[in-house]
Amino acid sequence: MGEAWLGVVLVHGFNSAATMWEPLRRLIGSDDDLAFVDTLPFAYATGLWAVDPRRRLPGIDTIADSLKEFLDTEAGPYRRLLLISHSQGGLVVQRHLARMTAEGRGADLRRIDRVVMLACPNNGSEIALSLRRPLLRGNLQERELRPLHERVAETQRAVLRDIVHAREVTERTCPIPFSVYAGESDNIVTPASARGTFPDAAVLPGDHPGIARPDSRDHRTYTTLKRLILLASPDAGRPDLRPSQDLRPFPDTFAVVALAERIPDMDDPAFRRTVVSQMRRSLAPDSGFSAAYKEHPRDHLVEIVERCRSHRDARRALLTFRDVITALRPDEAATAELRALIGEHR
């Protein structure tokens, strides 16, 4: 593992292989900004049909169980994980998360910072459907790629309820932000299917395989993934945002965010906007403050705290964040803990 402490787990799709990630792995491996990252390709058996009659192709449930063991073992040493999937790989990741929360293992998911899905057939794929049905009749994976598959829809509902819209870590829930992308020229998984019902969805250039194979650091898939990786681990990925040597260490971003998430109404976009607005007024005019709005509460809070970190007067900005929260929610236990955490670094 070396000096890396963020594991980026790569999950390929149907009729593909872990080698499909090589262009992305080369770009990440040669990027000095991402020296804290190890890429961890997860491989599983897939194809149109099993050539050897003594073998069969596994279904999504079986692959999800294999992914669970991969995360426990190969990815076990990493403090934090980011999962990137392509196509059917997104269904595998969702099935894993849904099975974990159903088994009461929500707390075991807390080291996953984010899930990124590229061209995932959340609503199925209709490409060559009339041919696929008779030709691939025994293929368990192909069945779940069909439109309106109930098991896929059930899994998606569970993930949205227990992961995407979750507010706290419990046995049955764990809040993890999802970033969902469609390929703008993808005719295998349409943008509507790739978006599904996920709230944070966008489009990247490329066809179905191309969206996951950036060929340069300027490719928008790479710039987008790099941004998300840096967001997942800002302290390691943004050395330019570390505090100057005359200040004591800036509190861990995720420690601050974890406490802030527990404060009532922090999941309300209007409340978070009020926090930013009051911080802006308090820090103006000599050193104003801005933070881009993010739909997922954790993303937005990470953005706010990281904007404090990158502020020209980082200590003052963080104290302003503390003071605004204290004024808005003075009597909450989490507010007191937040004050104590930030107050420890004078």
Side-chain angles (χ1 to χ4, degrees):
M1 186 171 65
E3 296 300 318
W5 60 269
L6 176 72
V8 174
V9 178
L10 305 169
V11 186
H12 66 79
F14 177 73
N15 198 30
S16 185
T19 54
M20 64 147 289
W21 296 111
E22 285 307 310
L24 176 61
R25 297 186 71 196
R26 284 195 295 268
L27 289 172
I28 291 176
S30 64
D31 194 331
D32 291 340
D33 292 340
L34 303 182
F36 62 96
V37 171
D38 274 343
T39 52
L40 308 172
F42 167 71
Y44 60 90
T46 183
L48 298 179
W49 44 73
V51 177
D52 189 334
R54 296 169 299 178
R55 298 181 179 180
R56 68 179 183 86
L57 293 173
I60 301 296
D61 284 334
T62 301
I63 302 169
D65 284 343
S66 180
L67 176 62
K68 177 173 69 172
E69 182 58 34
F70 181 89
L71 297 179
D72 286 345
T73 303
E74 280 82 356
Y78 295 87
R79 289 161 47 196
R80 292 190 177 277
L81 299 174
L82 186 145
L83 276 52
I84 300 177
S85 66
H86 176 244
S87 192
Q88 176 181 264
L91 302 183
V92 173
V93 170
Q94 291 181 64
R95 190 67 53 83
H96 164 66
L97 297 176
R99 288 166 76 88
M100 289 288 283
T101 54
E103 293 170 7
R105 293 187 58 187
D108 292 342
L109 300 174
R110 63 193 310 166
R111 68 186 175 124
I112 300 176
D113 277 308
R114 179 179 298 273
V115 171
V116 181
M117 297 196 303
L118 304 174
C120 176
N122 288 298
N123 292 338
S125 172
E126 296 193 19
I127 189 75
L129 183 59
S130 60
L131 294 175
R132 282 161 39 198
R133 280 176 172 157
L135 288 176
L136 307 179
R137 184 171 301 171
N139 192 313
L140 298 178
Q141 296 173 27
E142 188 278 330
R143 290 179 190 175
E144 299 206 30
L145 297 177
R146 297 174 186 176
L148 304 177
H149 191 280
E150 181 56 35
R151 187 78 171 93
V152 171
E154 177 187 322
T155 298
Q156 189 175 143
R157 287 193 294 269
V159 167
L160 287 166
R161 181 188 66 237
D162 300 332
I163 304 291
V164 176
H165 298 307
R167 297 187 178 185
E168 59 183 344
V169 177
T170 69
E171 291 182 352
R172 300 287 179 175
T173 63
C174 183
I176 301 172
F178 269 59
S179 295
V180 177
Y181 297 97
E184 65 184 7
S185 55
D186 189 343
N187 194 39
I188 294 178
V189 176
T190 65
S193 179
R195 291 188 184 101
T197 55
F198 287 91
D200 186 8
V203 175
L204 291 172
D207 56 15
H208 191 66
I211 188 177
R213 295 176 180 173
D215 55 7
S216 74
R217 292 188 186 181
D218 296 326
H219 192 288
R220 271 209 291 133
T221 292
Y222 185 72
T223 58
T224 297
L225 292 177
K226 180 174 178 177
R227 175 179 64 82
L228 296 175
I229 291 171
L230 293 175
L231 182 60
S233 34
D235 292 345
R238 298 292 298 277
D240 55 307
L241 299 187
R242 291 173 186 159
S244 59
Q245 295 301 314
D246 61 332
L247 295 176
R248 293 190 180 184
F250 198 97
D252 178 73
T253 294
F254 290 98
V256 175
V257 169
L259 287 175
E261 283 183 304
R262 290 168 45 200
I263 296 171
D265 298 324
M266 196 60 81
D267 60 335
D268 182 355
F271 182 80
R272 299 195 305 276
R273 287 193 181 102
T274 297
V275 171
V276 173
S277 177
Q278 293 196 17
M279 290 179 68
R280 185 179 296 119
R281 286 198 297 270
S282 296
L283 289 166
D286 57 324
S287 56
F289 182 83
S290 64
Y293 172 73
K294 307 289 185 182
E295 184 169 5
H296 193 282
R298 181 189 292 177
D299 285 353
H300 199 187
L301 287 167
V302 169
E303 169 75 7
I304 293 169
V305 176
E306 281 302 296
R307 289 295 182 174
C308 290
R309 186 187 297 275
S310 62
H311 194 271
R312 67 177 103 177
D313 189 345
R315 181 64 187 154
R316 183 182 172 197
L318 186 63
L319 290 173
T320 300
F321 176 68
R322 177 201 66 183
D323 293 342
V324 168
I325 296 296
T326 298
L328 291 172
R329 294 293 181 269
D331 301 323
E332 300 297 332
T335 301
E337 293 181 50
L338 183 67
R339 287 199 307 268
L341 175 64
I342 294 175
E344 290 173 358
H345 301 268
R346 291 192 180 280

